[in-house]
């Protein structure tokens, strides 16, 4: 069943999306500088149509109501001629975008809800994808990523860390930062600022490396191979310093070192370094950076031609809304982004992990026919786990 939907199920999803778009004119937010951006969409049962441009929101909205697409995208970039082939468009600049996706966080709950399928023998199992199929020893295995409440909360925490760095370390005004729930596995953080829009791929890569803490080594914080206790105490970061030094100092304060309590953090870390020396300290620092750095998809930030799902449109794999999060702390994607109805639908479910939508728990299903609210039926059908009967 994975990877394909029958016509009856596709029709249900398309009708559900059409009903939403027919009534959702005031929920759809066209991007700024609309006529400089490229648009694209994927029809249900079809493939991507790109290189479109709209002069008015009315033109765009008419397409949404008429086509009720599976997915709708727009470019982060601004072009002189958005409808021309990529190398002829004339890149003028673009929003600075960060993508935070729960499936990149490698959370332990993946083993409870992800589903992998061997493309060789068809074996299906719950859990993270193995390197080789235990049944046929084949290496061609697909994995269905699933975002539970824990996954989405972890993704939100990454977005909050990112916003803190963008504001404190880069001096970006809060009004220039927009955070969107992607409609599926995480969040898109967008910076629309004259100061950043003309940055090339390399400069965006440096920003991506900075926010993730990639490349930070012991020497970055004053720890050298032949450092003495006294030099370490003098050079290690202090709590309250700006940037990564301050963040690391606050993090070091939580490290447990025999013989040290809540005293001077630099003395504690200097004493620790004397016991474990450079190589082990370097490894501990790398582990720490994985905790406090922001886990983003670097490829997304550096791709200056990338297209993104448009706010106010539905995600074809979930039926959830891509939406602006005005208050990220209180935002609950599994409640706030659910906009389809609870009209009952009969479906057959091949397999489904536990699902929570609108404060209701829908238990794991396995090869059974059930009556479910439209919002749940579309979520499962969008992931090719259910079909209409």
């Amino acid at each position: 069943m994975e990877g394909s939907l029958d016509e009856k199920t596709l029709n249900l999803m398309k009708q559900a999306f059409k009903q939403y778009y027919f009534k959702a004119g005031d929920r759809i937010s066209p991007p700024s500088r609309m006529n400089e951006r490229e648009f694209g969409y994927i029809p249900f049962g079809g493939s991507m149509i790109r290189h479109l441009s709209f002069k008015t929101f009315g033109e765009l909205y008419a397409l949404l109501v008429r086509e009720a697409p599976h997915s709708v995208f727009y470019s982060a970039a601004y072009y002189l001629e958005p409808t021309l082939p990529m190398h002829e468009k004339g890149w003028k600049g673009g929003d600075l975008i960060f993508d935070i996706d729960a499936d990149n966080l490698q959370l332990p709950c993946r083993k409870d809800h992800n589903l992998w399928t061997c493309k060789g023998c068809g074996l299906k199992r719950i859990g993270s994808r193995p390197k080789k199929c235990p049944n046929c020893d084949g290496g061609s295995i697909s994995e269905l990523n699933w975002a539970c409440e824990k996954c989405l909360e972890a993704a939100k925490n990454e977005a909050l860390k990112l916003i803190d760095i963008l504001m404190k370390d880069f001096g970006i005004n809060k009004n220039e930062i927009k955070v969107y729930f992607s409609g599926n596995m995480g969040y898109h953080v967008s910076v629309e600022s004259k100061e950043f829009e003309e940055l090339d791929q390399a400069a965006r890569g440096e920003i991506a490396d900075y926010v993730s803490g990639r490349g930070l080594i012991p020497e970055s914080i004053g720890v050298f191979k032949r450092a003495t206790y006294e030099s370490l105490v003098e050079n290690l970061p202090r709590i309250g310093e700006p940037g990564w030094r301050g963040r690391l100092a606050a993090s070091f304060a939580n490290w447990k070192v025999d013989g040290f309590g809540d005293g001077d953090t630099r003395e504690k870390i200097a004493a620790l370094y004397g016991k474990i020396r450079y190589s082990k300290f370097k490894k501990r620092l790398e582990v720490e950076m994985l905790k406090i750095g922001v886990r983003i998809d670097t490829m997304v930030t550096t791709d200056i031609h990338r297209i993104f799902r448009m706010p106010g449109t539905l995600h074809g794999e979930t039926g959830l809304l891509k939406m602006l999060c005005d208050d990220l702390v209180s935002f609950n994607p599994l409640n706030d982004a659910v906009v389809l109805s609870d009209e009952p639908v009969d479906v057959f479910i091949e397999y489904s992990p536990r699902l929570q939508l609108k404060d209701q728990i829908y238990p794991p299903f396995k090869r059974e026919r059930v009556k479910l609210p439209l919002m749940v039926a579309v979520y499962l059908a969008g992931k090719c786990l259910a079909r209409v009967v």
Side-chain angles (χ1 to χ4, degrees):
M1 168 175 259
E2 186 183 358
S4 63
L5 290 175
D6 58 55
E7 187 172 347
K8 197 172 179 181
T9 305
L10 282 172
N11 284 337
L12 174 88
M13 295 187 69
K14 184 166 183 177
Q15 285 305 313
F17 279 40
K18 187 178 277 289
Q19 287 177 14
Y20 165 74
Y21 287 121
F22 185 72
K23 299 176 182 176
D26 59 348
R27 303 189 73 154
I28 299 169
S29 307
S32 62
R33 302 170 66 170
M34 181 175 168
N35 58 2
E36 297 177 81
R37 298 185 191 257
E38 174 197 357
F39 288 80
Y41 71 94
I42 301 175
F44 278 98
S47 49
M48 173 74 86
I49 298 170
R50 289 189 64 166
H51 310 301
L52 303 177
S53 177
F54 301 97
K55 288 187 169 54
T56 67
F57 174 67
E59 291 178 7
L60 170 61
Y61 183 58
L63 179 138
L64 297 178
V65 173
R66 185 179 68 248
E67 300 291 334
H70 173 281
S71 296
V72 184
F73 303 97
Y74 73 102
S75 67
Y78 322 126
Y79 298 107
L80 290 171
E81 298 290 346
T83 60
L84 293 182
M86 193 60 74
H87 64 285
E88 298 177 19
K89 288 181 186 296
W91 189 82
K92 298 169 63 179
D95 305 333
L96 179 63
I97 306 277
F98 302 90
D99 179 43
I100 296 169
D101 212 317
D103 64 354
N104 292 328
L105 303 182
Q106 302 295 316
L107 298 169
C109 55
R110 296 175 71 194
K111 69 180 187 327
D112 300 325
H113 50 61
N114 281 13
L115 173 70
W116 61 263
T117 304
C118 175
K119 295 181 179 178
C121 68
L123 182 70
K124 297 177 185 289
R125 287 288 185 271
I126 305 299
S128 298
R129 174 174 49 194
K131 291 182 178 178
K132 288 188 176 181
C133 174
N135 185 48
C136 70
D137 209 32
S140 181
I141 301 172
S142 64
E143 182 175 359
L144 173 68
N145 293 311
W146 186 270
C148 69
E149 306 93 282
K150 293 177 183 175
C151 296
L152 294 173
E153 188 65 20
K156 181 200 286 189
N157 289 335
E158 296 299 307
L160 289 168
K161 286 194 296 185
L162 174 60
I163 294 167
D164 182 72
I165 293 174
L166 293 176
M167 293 178 64
K168 290 180 178 174
D169 294 20
F170 290 88
I172 299 174
N173 191 296
K174 188 176 181 180
N175 296 330
E176 296 175 317
I177 302 172
K178 293 180 180 176
V179 185
Y180 300 93
F181 172 58
S182 70
N184 191 8
M185 301 288 292
Y187 293 87
H188 297 158
V189 178
S190 170
V191 176
E192 293 188 38
S193 166
K194 290 286 184 187
E195 191 172 351
F196 293 90
E197 70 179 43
E198 294 184 6
L199 293 180
D200 62 12
Q201 194 170 17
R204 290 168 193 253
E206 289 182 12
I207 292 175
D209 285 346
Y210 181 87
V211 301
S212 58
R214 190 174 295 114
L216 194 144
I217 57 177
E219 286 80 356
S220 307
I221 55 170
V223 177
F224 297 89
K225 286 186 177 178
R226 299 185 184 280
T228 63
Y229 175 86
E230 290 75 15
S231 67
L232 286 170
V233 171
E234 182 178 348
N235 294 322
L236 280 166
R238 302 165 187 263
I239 292 176
E241 284 190 49
W244 280 114
R245 284 181 61 83
R247 289 188 189 88
L248 274 170
S251 187
F252 286 155
N254 297 320
W255 285 19
K256 303 297 182 188
V257 178
D258 291 342
F260 285 85
D262 298 326
D264 189 290
T265 298
R266 290 175 300 156
E267 292 180 1
K268 178 174 70 174
I269 299 302
L272 174 68
Y273 182 83
K275 294 178 181 177
I276 65 176
R277 307 307 296 174
Y278 185 86
S279 294
K280 289 184 178 178
F281 183 83
K282 185 171 182 286
K283 287 180 181 176
R284 286 198 63 167
L285 184 63
E286 289 169 353
V287 172
E288 198 65 26
M289 290 309 300
L290 284 176
K291 293 179 186 174
I292 64 176
V294 184
R295 285 174 283 180
I296 60 170
D297 184 338
T298 304
M299 297 292 289
V300 172
T301 301
T302 57
D303 184 353
I304 59 175
H305 296 294
R306 175 79 60 150
I307 55 175
F308 293 87
R309 193 170 302 278
M310 199 176 90
T313 65
L314 299 176
H315 197 299
E317 294 180 15
T318 62
L320 301 183
L321 190 66
K322 174 169 179 176
M323 62 181 294
L324 179 67
C325 306
D326 292 321
D327 181 358
L328 182 58
V329 173
S330 65
F331 180 73
N332 180 347
L334 298 179
N335 277 357
D336 300 336
V338 180
V339 293
L340 298 182
S341 75
D342 57 1
E343 176 187 351
V345 180
D346 284 317
V347 294
F348 178 82
I349 301 174
E350 182 73 20
Y351 157 78
S352 165
R354 171 187 173 279
L355 172 64
Q356 178 176 328
L357 285 181
K358 283 287 184 185
D359 292 327
Q360 294 292 316
I361 303 294
Y362 299 93
F365 298 105
K366 188 174 182 179
R367 299 193 62 76
E368 54 190 299
R369 178 173 176 165
V370 292
K371 191 182 290 291
L372 292 173
L374 177 66
M375 58 186 175
V376 181
V378 167
Y379 192 102
L380 298 180
K383 293 186 176 295
C384 299
L385 297 177
R387 59 179 167 82
V388 177
V389 293

